Amino acid sequence: MRSSSSSFRARIAAALLASAATVGALLTAAAPAAHAADTPLRDLGAAKGKVIGTAVTGSKLTGTYGDIAGTQFGSLTPGNAMKWGSVEPTQGTFNWAEADQIVAFAQAHNQQVRGHTLVWHSQNPGWLTNGSWTSAQLSTLLQNHIDTEVGRYKGRIAAWDVVNEPFNEDGTYRSTLWYNGLGADYIATALTRARAADPAAKLYINDYNVEGVNAKSTALYNLVKSLKERGVPIDGVGLQAHLILGQVPSTLQQNIQRFADLGVDVAITELDIRMTLPSDSTKLAQQKADYKAVTAACVAVARCVNFTVWGFTDSDSWVESTFPGQGAATPYDANYAPKPAYYGISEALGGTTTPPPTGACTAAYSVGSQWNTGFTGNVTISCSGASLSSWRVSWTYGAGQQITQAWNATCTQSGAAVSCQNASYNGTVPDGGSVSFGFNASWSGSNPVPTVTLG
Ligand code: G3I
């Protein structure tokens, strides 16, 4: 499916001469949306020796979400699908459906998978957390879980977050089912077992608030040092990087470097940068600078091998539900248009991009649900610093798609050429506003996203 990247050209809006009689303005718009002709992040990363990844939700890997996930990223992390509570909700009854789906998608798109996560205090099944276990029983449960899950995906996982979030903020061990039942050596036990189950997978300890040099990251540093001295298998540390706007730690690169000097790889595993809603151009510009700074810190250290965002679109982020009033934390907006943050990553990876100009109206095409013979499409026309009193959007299908029905626009298709114009009631797109229309269409073979022209 990598070949689809050439056909996955983003939506652009062409120069548009508005009627002087109606809006009295010359609207020039050339907004490359999701990817335009820009080099995909995964290719930019590869040129720098970095694998660029995203967390994903398996059920969403179709349509535009799937296109972006498959085209832009070289690594996928299941956001929830590989957690113990997801894979073994009832003791002895396994549900691998979403995890299998993500691994299969990754293989089809020539992507790595980061396995997340084997040993954690959260998102465990009720039967496990509510049970009353002896240390021996707990140790057996832990080891069997690792054998089962790592063994199932043996050879298909590039790296496992074996242990997730073992520390408190002050650097002491977090009180968890595992620490309380087995002592700190549950970490060594888990790593050793994971190595035996899949010798090729890189084994990580992953935590948050360990991005800068601080008490917690120093505890992680000391743990890794001692594990290495003891000969316990440990290949890398994951810095989650759930950050707050304007608060990239000044010691990020120094911290990455000290782990590299210890002889382990480093991954940015869950990057997002949240802001107080609503977003505005000032906050988005700061967010771009922050994303760029984190990317640059990884680029600067050879052993920073993977740079993963925790969801690539604001429509698929944990932030809003966890921090009320906060959000817009990812590089793409909820309509799959790249935000300034996207260009921050791209620029730090050496990409040259053309961000959308200010004062323009743009049209963005996306595929919603898709089934074996048909799909529902959506086009959103948005204006910022400009406005429209009527509009026409056109595109050419590259794979035989055929529109069967449209709503909120009048669409005609002649051969591969489609032209849609506003209905009587939605020609006006005000400055700062948007208008959408939808359609049903048939497809077979492939369903690449066409380049759309507004004008
Ligand atoms: O699947 C159920 C759904 O059936 C139900 O209707 C719904 C109602 O709340 O819940 C759904 O499950 C939610 C699940 O995400 C899937 O969306 C859980 O409630 C929710 O708690 C869970 O949140 C996840 C969170 O980990 C749990 O701590 C986030 O999606 C996930 O992004 C987040 O990821 C963690 C990393 O694993 C570790 N580092 C921090 C990071 C952010 O918290």
Side-chain angles (χ1 to χ4, degrees), residues 55 57 78-80 83 116-117 120 122-123 164-165 206 208 240 242 270 272 310 317-318 321-322:
T57 301
N80 288 296
K83 292 169 180 173
H116 176 84
T117 176
W120 194 21
S122 183
Q123 285 182 283
N164 199 35
E165 303 174 0
N206 188 51
Y208 62 89
Q240 292 186 6
H242 295 291
E270 305 183 15
D272 49 34
W310 202 242
S317 171
W318 69 297
S321 58
T322 307

Side-chain angles (χ1 to χ4, degrees), residues 90-448:
T90 303
Q91 189 169 15
T93 302
F94 295 91
N95 180 0
W96 303 106
E98 188 187 352
D100 283 356
Q101 181 199 354
I102 293 169
V103 171
F105 183 97
Q107 286 189 310
H109 293 78
N110 192 24
Q111 294 169 306
Q112 293 185 358
V113 178
R114 287 189 64 85
H116 176 84
T117 176
L118 298 169
V119 188
W120 194 21
H121 61 273
S122 183
Q123 285 182 283
N124 287 317
W127 64 263
L128 176 64
T129 51
N130 298 332
S132 157
W133 315 104
T134 65
S135 283
Q137 288 171 324
L138 203 53
S139 183
T140 301
L141 284 166
L142 180 69
Q143 295 186 55
N144 286 346
H145 171 64
I146 292 171
D147 291 353
T148 303
E149 182 151 8
V150 178
R152 180 182 183 84
Y153 296 110
K154 183 179 178 183
R156 292 186 286 167
I157 303 291
W160 273 104
D161 289 333
V162 178
V163 176
N164 199 35
E165 303 174 0
F167 290 111
N168 293 315
E169 299 305 291
D170 65 0
T172 57
Y173 282 108
R174 186 191 286 269
S175 167
T176 70
L177 173 69
W178 309 113
Y179 181 76
N180 298 341
L182 302 172
D185 246 16
Y186 81 89
I187 297 171
T189 301
L191 289 162
T192 303
R193 203 74 184 192
R195 173 67 90 234
D198 185 354
K202 300 290 186 191
L203 307 181
Y204 278 66
I205 301 173
N206 188 51
D207 215 325
Y208 62 89
N209 287 351
V210 293
E211 293 75 34
V213 175
N214 57 35
K216 194 173 184 179
S217 66
T218 298
L220 178 60
Y221 179 91
N222 290 332
L223 170 62
V224 170
K225 187 163 183 285
S226 117
L227 290 170
K228 286 186 76 75
E229 284 165 1
R230 291 168 56 195
V232 176
I234 175 71
D235 302 306
V237 295
L239 316 182
Q240 292 186 6
H242 295 291
L243 302 178
I244 296 169
L245 191 72
Q247 296 185 25
V248 176
S250 59
T251 52
L252 174 60
Q253 185 180 324
Q254 176 193 341
N255 193 42
I256 294 172
Q257 187 66 58
R258 73 169 170 161
F259 281 105
D261 292 345
L262 200 49
V264 290
D265 290 338
V266 178
I268 305 293
T269 51
E270 305 183 15
L271 178 62
D272 49 34
I273 303 178
R274 59 186 183 268
M275 63 181 69
T276 300
L277 296 172
S279 68
D280 61 30
S281 57
T282 305
K283 293 176 195 172
L284 291 171
Q286 178 65 53
Q287 188 183 49
K288 174 183 178 180
D290 292 346
Y291 265 93
K292 194 169 182 176
V294 176
T295 313
C298 183
V299 167
V301 181
R303 287 201 81 150
C304 184
V305 294
N306 182 297
F307 174 94
T308 288
V309 293
W310 202 242
F312 62 84
T313 161
D314 290 340
S315 66
D316 186 41
S317 171
W318 69 297
V319 169
E320 282 83 344
S321 58
T322 307
F323 301 99
Q326 302 277 305
T330 79
Y332 284 80
D333 73 15
N335 292 319
Y336 302 122
K339 294 157 57 182
Y342 171 91
Y343 299 102
I345 300 171
S346 170
E347 288 169 18
L349 292 173
T352 50
T353 58
T354 319
T358 53
C361 297
T362 60
Y365 175 112
S366 63
V367 176
S369 57
Q370 177 170 300
W371 54 100
N372 52 354
T373 56
F375 68 100
T376 299
N378 179 81
V379 174
T380 298
I381 300 139
S382 309
C383 290
S384 176
S387 62
L388 294 171
S389 59
S390 65
W391 46 261
R392 177 182 293 275
V393 180
S394 46
W395 63 88
T396 303
Y397 275 131
Q401 299 98 319
Q402 180 70 45
I403 290 190
T404 53
Q405 181 192 12
W407 49 94
N408 296 332
T410 303
C411 292
T412 56
Q413 181 165 355
S414 172
V418 177
S419 177
C420 299
Q421 66 182 116
N422 60 274
S424 58
Y425 50 86
N426 65 358
T428 300
V429 186
D431 183 3
S434 65
V435 166
S436 294
F437 66 91
F439 56 88
N440 287 331
S442 61
W443 70 288
S444 66
S446 67
N447 186 18

Side-chain angles (χ1 to χ4, degrees), residues 5-13 30-40 71-72 332 336 338 342-343 352-356 450-451:
S5 64
S6 60
S7 58
F8 187 51
R9 290 294 177 248
R11 40 246 76 163
I12 58 168
H35 318 293
D38 301 333
T39 307
T71 306
Q72 290 284 325
Y332 284 80
Y336 302 122
Y342 171 91
Y343 299 102
T352 50
T353 58
T354 319
T451 298

